[in-house]
Amino acid sequence: MPEAASAAAPTRATIGDSEFDRDTALTARAPGVYDIDLSAGWTIINAVNGGYLLAVLGRALADTLPHTDPFTISAHYLTASQPGPAVVRTETVRTGRTLSTGQASLLQYDEEGREVERIRVLASYGDLDALPDDVRTTAAPPAIPPLQECFGPQDGPSPVPGSSAITDRLMIKLDPATLGWALGAPSGRGEMRAWFGLADGRDADPLSLLLAVDALPPTAFEIGLKGWVPTVELTVHVRSRPAPGPLRVSITTRNLAGGFLEEDAEVWDSSDRLVAQSRQLARVRLG
Amino acid sequence: MPEAASAAAPTRATIGDSEFDRDTALTARAPGVYDIDLSAGWTIINAVNGGYLLAVLGRALADTLPHTDPFTISAHYLTASQPGPAVVRTETVRTGRTLSTGQASLLQYDEEGREVERIRVLASYGDLDALPDDVRTTAAPPAIPPLQECFGPQDGPSPVPGSSAITDRLMIKLDPATLGWALGAPSGRGEMRAWFGLADGRDADPLSLLLAVDALPPTAFEIGLKGWVPTVELTVHVRSRPAPGPLRVSITTRNLAGGFLEEDAEVWDSSDRLVAQSRQLARVRLG
């Protein structure tokens, strides 16, 4: 009775068979050239989420390079992506024994059908499973209350401002201490912390970590700013393959100045391992 | 009596007329193609310093792009550079009103005269002087004792291990609290702090900030490791044009794991402004 059993318990998606995997799947047109239809399921207001786009580019590079895990990936965001057809072009820059480096561009088409570049990426890939086990970290996991004491877009009396299609794809439960902005009382501190997962239950892997670092509300909201905070550049270091289970994401902004700010993210897995670090430079549209 | 006056007081180099400016000067061979002789004056042991190399690439992009200040520059280090002839090739990726994005590669030649790529860079440039004056930072300058209470390679009874040609070009005075490694008693904390300048007195500018973030001894020394810590990737955000006077550089490592570590640098100017933030991913050669 497999069907009855599956109807009784909600089916958890798996790595390779989930919304995230389907929506980052690429079709190879030629060596180093991939077609994809960017899903409207990962939009915030009308913009396609930058972390989802980075995962698309990261997946293309994993296919192109001899190594499959992004160790460090740097993306410069050029123009705003739209849901719909896109092409990814990759280039192998160097292959080495333990690391290989590649470049990728995401392009879409203007009204005349000309390619317009959306994002350009440089990345060095390796094999996370081949790393030694040594951990000599002084970093500690963020203090976030238990998941059931945190709040997501579905928990409020009214939707969290800025909610959009992507909220249906993600499990985000924000630490109440960084939720003041949603209640009209931002803390003034540039911090955002949350439990994070994919809504269909798919566990995290190195590619979905590229999404995790850019999926929380902007820290600028807790500083008291409103409006859009477009990413100029985002670099992610994947430091370990994440264990199954929900992630904790902590984002900090220390320096809002001259119309720009940095967002530093840490991602921790269920075994208390720091699995990713990221930093982005974003513009502040002062509202 | 200008000559007598200049003999009496040491001449301070100026932006545009200094060792750093001469050693980062490029000769345009064609649009987007530049020749340079990488100076042996910026080597540590036998390796050319990665920050000096980033400044060379940054200068080429400032010449290529319509904007002159690196806002965010990401470098992936592919192979070890050597003093001697090199070529820089640049490409304009996108030009916009407030930001433009470019790519650059540094290449040298193997025994057969074939080009070997050393570093590839993506960067977004703007105009620091056009930014609004707002500063809403929670970051505070590092607590470093006064310059005369800090120590450089010239101050010890024996040269600091690893000293090399670059130490003659730099004014680095390390906070005694992060100097334990040089005395055989590392603190165990991944921290390095110093006053920083160019030895000939040239003041800092956005290009020399690219050098400043990668010029201190590795934080790994204070964690108790010895040996080389080669950079895989380095991203620098320049947030403000530095005021004249010495800089303070603070570098922190939180996560040494799996044979890699991150180094986060902050650079503060004499007016207590956070002028640059950087992060690099480096390999640890466990000694």
Side-chain angles (χ1 to χ4, degrees):
Chain A
M1 303 181 291
E3 285 189 7
S6 117
T11 306
R12 280 174 62 93
T14 56
I15 294 174
D17 182 17
S18 71
E19 289 177 327
F20 177 77
D21 296 290
R22 284 189 290 279
D23 289 345
T24 57
L26 299 140
T27 305
R29 186 203 299 179
V33 185
Y34 304 86
D35 289 300
I36 185 170
D37 200 59
L38 297 178
S39 165
W42 304 88
T43 49
I44 301 180
I45 316 296
N46 290 316
V48 185
N49 173 263
Y52 161 68
L53 296 168
L54 188 58
V56 167
L57 286 153
R59 189 161 169 181
L61 282 168
D63 185 76
T64 298
L65 295 172
H67 297 95
T68 56
D69 298 323
F71 277 29
T72 168
I73 181 165
S74 308
H76 286 248
Y77 291 78
L78 309 170
T79 54
S81 300
Q82 308 296 330
V87 59
V88 177
R89 297 183 187 278
T90 62
E91 174 197 345
T92 300
V93 176
R94 175 180 178 269
T95 59
R97 189 175 55 83
T98 57
L99 287 177
S100 51
T101 301
Q103 177 175 317
S105 292
L106 178 78
L107 308 105
Q108 292 190 299
Y109 307 96
D110 68 10
E111 294 80 1
E112 282 78 42
R114 290 176 300 224
E115 286 185 347
V116 179
E117 190 165 355
R118 299 299 192 205
I119 307 173
R120 191 172 293 200
V121 160
L122 274 181
S124 293
Y125 276 54
D127 178 1
L128 287 170
D129 299 324
L131 298 182
D133 289 332
D134 65 296
V135 177
R136 298 171 69 166
T137 188
T138 58
I144 303 185
L147 200 151
Q148 59 274 19
E149 296 172 20
C150 294
F151 298 95
Q154 296 82 4
D155 300 320
S158 61
V160 170
S163 293
S164 202
I166 195 172
T167 58
D168 294 333
R169 307 291 180 102
L170 303 179
M171 186 286 289
I172 292 184
K173 296 284 186 182
L174 288 163
D175 183 341
T178 66
L179 199 54
W181 59 276
L183 308 168
S187 70
R189 295 184 300 272
E191 300 175 2
M192 199 65 66
R193 290 184 296 273
W195 292 92
F196 178 89
L198 292 165
D200 61 10
R202 176 199 191 273
D203 280 316
D205 69 350
L207 283 180
S208 75
L209 293 177
L210 306 183
L211 169 68
V213 300
D214 193 40
L216 270 54
T219 53
F221 288 2
E222 271 296 270
I223 300 175
L225 304 174
K226 290 171 182 172
W228 197 236
V229 190
T231 303
V232 175
E233 174 263 326
L234 167 61
T235 296
V236 186
H237 299 175
V238 176
R239 302 295 301 274
S240 183
R241 190 175 303 283
L247 303 169
R248 284 155 294 170
V249 181
S250 169
I251 305 184
T252 308
T253 293
R254 287 160 48 82
N255 194 47
L256 164 59
F260 287 82
L261 55 74
E262 95 286 3
E263 276 199 2
D264 280 7
E266 286 186 358
V267 184
W268 294 77
D269 73 6
S270 60
S271 71
D272 279 356
R273 181 85 185 256
L274 179 53
V275 292
Q277 292 172 296
S278 76
R279 174 175 288 166
Q280 69 171 263
L281 183 70
R283 285 199 218 211
V284 182
R285 309 280 193 205
L286 291 169
Chain B
M1 303 180 290
E3 284 188 9
S6 117
T11 306
R12 282 174 61 93
T14 56
I15 294 174
D17 182 16
S18 72
E19 289 177 326
F20 177 77
D21 296 289
R22 284 188 290 278
D23 290 344
T24 57
L26 300 140
T27 305
R29 185 204 296 180
V33 186
Y34 304 85
D35 290 300
I36 185 169
D37 201 60
L38 296 178
S39 165
W42 305 87
T43 50
I44 300 180
I45 318 294
N46 291 317
V48 184
N49 172 265
Y52 161 68
L53 296 169
L54 188 57
V56 167
L57 286 154
R59 190 162 167 180
L61 282 169
D63 186 76
T64 299
L65 295 172
H67 297 95
T68 56
D69 298 323
F71 277 29
T72 168
I73 181 163
S74 308
H76 287 248
Y77 291 78
L78 309 170
T79 55
S81 301
Q82 307 296 329
V87 59
V88 177
R89 298 184 187 276
T90 62
E91 174 197 344
T92 300
V93 176
R94 176 179 177 269
T95 59
R97 190 174 54 83
T98 57
L99 288 177
S100 51
T101 300
Q103 178 175 316
S105 293
L106 178 78
L107 308 105
Q108 292 191 298
Y109 307 95
D110 68 10
E111 295 79 3
E112 281 79 44
R114 288 176 302 222
E115 285 185 349
V116 179
E117 190 164 357
R118 300 301 192 202
I119 307 173
R120 191 172 292 199
V121 159
L122 275 180
S124 294
Y125 276 55
D127 178 359
L128 287 170
D129 300 324
L131 297 183
D133 289 331
D134 65 296
V135 177
R136 297 171 69 167
T137 189
T138 58
I144 302 185
L147 200 151
Q148 59 274 18
E149 296 172 21
C150 294
F151 298 95
Q154 295 83 4
D155 300 320
S158 62
V160 171
S163 292
S164 204
I166 196 172
T167 59
D168 294 332
R169 305 292 180 102
L170 303 180
M171 186 287 290
I172 292 184
K173 296 286 185 181
L174 287 163
D175 183 339
T178 66
L179 197 53
W181 59 276
L183 307 169
S187 70
R189 293 184 301 273
E191 300 176 2
M192 200 65 67
R193 290 185 295 274
W195 292 93
F196 178 89
L198 292 165
D200 62 10
R202 177 200 191 272
D203 280 316
D205 70 350
L207 283 180
S208 75
L209 293 178
L210 306 183
L211 169 68
V213 299
D214 193 39
L216 270 53
T219 53
F221 288 1
E222 271 296 271
I223 300 176
L225 303 174
K226 291 170 180 171
W228 196 235
V229 189
T231 303
V232 176
E233 175 263 324
L234 167 61
T235 296
V236 187
H237 298 175
V238 176
R239 302 295 301 275
S240 182
R241 190 174 301 285
L247 302 169
R248 284 156 294 171
V249 181
S250 170
I251 305 184
T252 307
T253 294
R254 286 159 50 82
N255 194 48
L256 164 59
F260 287 81
L261 55 74
E262 95 285 4
E263 277 199 2
D264 280 6
E266 287 187 357
V267 185
W268 293 78
D269 74 6
S270 61
S271 71
D272 278 356
R273 182 85 185 255
L274 179 53
V275 292
Q277 292 172 298
S278 77
R279 174 174 289 165
Q280 69 171 264
L281 183 70
R283 284 200 219 212
V284 182
R285 308 278 193 207
L286 292 170

